[in-house]
Amino acid sequence: MAGKYLFSFGPWNIHEGSDPFGPTVRGTIAFAQKLKIYKELGFDGVQFHDDDAVPDMDQLSAAEIEKKAGEVRAILDGEGLTAEFVAPRLWEGPNTIDGGYTSNDPACREYAKKRSRQSIDIANVLGTKLIVLWLAREGTYIREAKDSKVAVDRLVEAINDMLAHDPDIRIAIEPKPNEPMDHAYIPTTGHAMALGYLTSDPARVGVNIESAHAILAGLDPSDEMGFALAYDRLYTVHLNDQNGLKFDQDKSFGSVDLRRAFNQVRILEQYDYGQRGEMVGLDVKAMRTQKEGMATKHLSNSREVFLALLDLVRRLDRTAVDQLIAQRDYEELDLLIMNHLLGK
Ligand code: XUL
Ligand code: MN
């Protein structure tokens, strides 16, 4: 039960603080500088969007992309960091306004597939076999804009294309029910797993479960994790927190609901998450109010809370829990857990 956890985050988790209603409030920290901060904060893994590693990749040849990715790999090696995953960024460019794989424009769908293959090439240079798909714009603002059956067919086609491009990659779909779209086509873990079973190699299609995304779908993140663990397809996690049904907040892990966070750590620990190299990803954002030079605390705080909760998980009196379950005395179990969280 005493496994060691490795932590990761993405460069986007150190950011300038803009939101839809206001501009940046902090200066930009250069990518290479961000990589230097990882170890100081207690992190070992770097999560990448494809263009975090290779900026302006749409303007570059395959050889240029490989060269640039190689330079980033050298920095990672120098810092003692590993790349955890690469995610094709299919939501910012002019070709992805109407979505990537499910765009109504065949040229845009081709762009999305090509870009996904390029992400796999970048992942290979960076030394990871994990690809994350956050299907940001694969959905609609109005139901009539796309055909939801055809959309699923197209998602399967695109995933098959990736699986064929590299027989060793694994794909972790990161479900999210809304934002930026009104409704996304793959809103939950169940949808993602079911989509995997339509592909040519379901054994290589799993999930990245983000706490906030599950909460936005009205679901409990630890139960979503249990579902994926039952299929042995929990490839990574994006732990954070979320205060109710509103915009995706990416709050520090445990900052809204410690008990909900405790249960996420509990299920990961219970089923030996991390023993096969899975990392604890923290997809958290600093508050916009944080001043210059103090906007990495959300990362170290989230890690610290994870480790404190891990300690509580390991010290939980399992015998007492099992006895109360056997007696069906869930009121007493409720109090036992609350007292445990209160340190009593
Ligand atoms: C979006 C989200 C993204 C993905 C990576 O809500 O969570 O940060 O995790 O592209
Ligand atoms: Mn995420």
Side-chain angles (χ1 to χ4, degrees):
M1 283 288 273
K4 192 176 166 337
Y5 288 86
L6 291 175
F7 295 87
S8 60
F9 68 88
W12 63 89
N13 296 115
I14 298 176
H15 63 103
E16 296 86 353
S18 65
D19 69 17
F21 303 98
T24 60
V25 290
R26 296 181 287 265
T28 300
I29 298 177
F31 178 59
Q33 187 55 36
K34 287 182 183 176
L35 292 181
K36 289 198 185 303
I37 304 175
Y38 272 73
K39 287 278 177 182
E40 285 167 28
L41 296 173
F43 288 75
D44 299 283
V46 184
Q47 307 182 334
F48 286 91
H49 294 128
D50 48 8
D51 58 1
D52 291 324
V54 183
D56 302 320
M57 56 185 283
D58 287 343
Q59 273 72 57
L60 303 180
S61 68
E64 287 168 329
I65 289 175
E66 197 181 321
K67 182 168 175 287
K68 177 69 194 158
E71 288 165 16
V72 175
R73 173 68 189 267
I75 301 176
L76 290 180
D77 291 347
E79 298 289 340
L81 297 168
T82 51
E84 188 200 0
F85 68 65
V86 177
R89 197 198 297 269
L90 296 175
W91 54 91
E92 283 187 357
N95 286 314
T96 54
I97 292 169
D98 189 32
Y101 314 125
T102 66
S103 170
N104 283 320
D105 180 341
C108 291
R109 293 201 298 276
E110 269 320 301
Y111 164 84
K113 284 200 268 184
K114 181 180 174 205
R115 176 109 177 201
S116 304
R117 292 192 295 270
Q118 288 172 324
S119 291
I120 295 169
D121 298 341
I122 292 170
N124 275 313
V125 178
L126 295 182
T128 177
K129 286 291 180 188
L130 187 60
I131 300 295
V132 162
L133 294 184
W134 170 45
L135 301 168
R137 297 193 189 278
E138 314 301 354
T140 52
Y141 303 115
I142 57 166
R143 305 284 76 68
E144 300 84 1
K146 289 180 186 172
D147 180 320
S148 53
K149 191 267 181 199
V150 170
V152 172
D153 296 342
R154 287 178 174 161
L155 287 168
V156 171
E157 189 188 314
I159 292 173
N160 284 345
D161 190 61
M162 285 179 249
L163 293 168
H165 185 66
D166 183 333
D168 297 321
I169 55 140
R170 290 176 306 142
I171 295 175
I173 298 171
E174 182 179 336
K176 181 177 180 182
N178 60 284
E179 199 199 35
M181 308 314 294
D182 175 32
H183 284 283
Y185 286 130
I186 306 298
T188 69
T189 308
H191 288 82
M193 292 303 309
L195 184 70
Y197 276 91
L198 288 175
T199 69
S200 56
D201 195 355
R204 291 196 283 140
V205 184
V207 286
N208 172 15
I209 294 181
E210 173 160 328
S211 324
H213 297 180
I215 296 161
L216 284 169
L219 300 168
D220 178 78
S222 71
D223 283 353
E224 293 293 279
M225 288 171 191
F227 189 92
L229 287 163
Y231 283 87
D232 196 16
R233 298 279 210 296
L234 185 57
Y235 293 162
T236 188
V237 290
H238 265 176
L239 302 186
N240 54 22
D241 215 345
Q242 171 74 27
N243 192 13
L245 301 181
K246 52 183 89 174
F247 63 95
D248 184 11
Q249 296 183 300
D250 296 338
K251 281 173 163 293
S252 291
F253 184 54
S255 67
V256 177
D257 188 334
L258 266 183
R259 185 173 181 175
R260 187 167 59 194
F262 168 77
N263 282 310
Q264 291 169 69
V265 179
R266 196 169 64 90
I267 197 143
L268 294 175
E269 171 73 356
Q270 176 81 17
Y271 293 102
D272 294 329
Y273 182 85
Q275 297 300 299
R276 288 174 295 173
E278 305 96 331
M279 290 193 169
V280 177
L282 291 161
D283 197 2
V284 288
K285 274 206 183 82
M287 292 178 222
R288 192 166 186 266
T289 41
Q290 276 307 93
K291 291 181 185 167
E292 205 85 59
M294 300 196 298
T296 52
K297 290 185 181 175
H298 59 303
L299 291 157
S300 46
N301 292 355
S302 293
R303 178 179 175 275
E304 189 179 319
V305 166
F306 181 98
L307 291 171
L309 290 172
L310 180 63
D311 184 51
L312 281 176
V313 166
R314 288 178 175 166
R315 287 194 291 106
L316 183 65
D317 185 346
R318 285 290 323 185
T319 311
V321 169
D322 289 344
Q323 275 170 4
L324 292 172
I325 290 171
Q327 291 159 12
R328 214 179 68 195
D329 191 352
Y330 301 149
E331 293 289 359
E332 197 60 34
L333 177 58
D334 200 24
L335 184 65
L336 182 149
I337 297 295
M338 287 189 282
N339 277 336
H340 192 59
L341 289 172
L342 288 166
K344 281 169 96 177

